[in-house]
Amino acid sequence: RLNDYAQLERYAKANAEINPPAKDEKRVVFLGDSITDSWKLTEYFPNQPYINRGISGQTTPQMLIRLRPDVIAHKPKVLVLLAGTNDIAGNTGAVTNEFIQGNIQSIVELARANGISVV
């Protein structure tokens, strides 16, 4: 974790291989923790332009760091966000509810500033 706190390397190669969205494509990126990481999007939603960027154990500050390379860079129409569970568990240290809320708010604000709706 010290060398790659946000685990940016996890999806670096896969991110480089993703083409820009096709015209009228309704791309969705799923960002979250282990629950998201375990979703089999190609099985659950065959032939859909859905990208999974879940990482087991992640907290909201780590997801905030990953937002640009793992979400915004792919120009999705929608971001499905599942976050906060591991913050409450203290995976990256003790935090307040306000800290968690602030990180989620920042993720939402950055997504919306880039034309991405958030669920």
Side-chain angles (χ1 to χ4, degrees):
R1 200 180 278 167
L2 292 176
N3 293 328
D4 188 9
Y5 168 76
Q7 298 179 21
L8 293 169
E9 287 299 314
R10 165 79 184 269
Y11 291 112
K13 184 175 185 236
N15 286 342
E17 296 171 355
I18 293 177
N19 292 321
K23 186 179 185 223
D24 300 324
E25 179 180 312
K26 293 179 174 56
R27 181 173 288 178
V28 178
V29 176
F30 292 72
L31 180 68
D33 53 27
S34 61
I35 296 165
T36 307
D37 196 8
S38 67
W39 290 346
K40 299 174 183 95
L41 296 181
T42 55
E43 180 183 324
Y44 302 157
F45 305 101
N47 304 312
Q48 296 300 317
Y50 296 172
I51 299 170
N52 190 326
R53 290 296 178 261
I55 296 181
S56 182
Q58 285 251 292
T59 58
T60 57
Q62 293 169 308
M63 291 179 208
L64 182 56
I65 291 169
R66 291 195 305 116
L67 192 66
R68 289 189 186 279
D70 288 351
V71 178
I72 295 171
H74 302 307
K75 302 183 183 337
K77 297 284 185 196
V78 176
L79 164 63
V80 176
L81 178 65
L82 181 61
T85 303
N86 293 313
D87 295 73
I88 294 168
N91 283 20
T92 51
V95 296
T96 64
N97 289 339
E98 293 77 20
F99 177 82
I100 300 166
Q101 181 180 355
N103 285 328
I104 292 172
Q105 186 172 354
S106 293
I107 290 169
V108 170
E109 288 171 355
L110 281 167
R112 287 182 178 163
N114 285 277
I116 304 166
S117 298
V118 181
V119 176

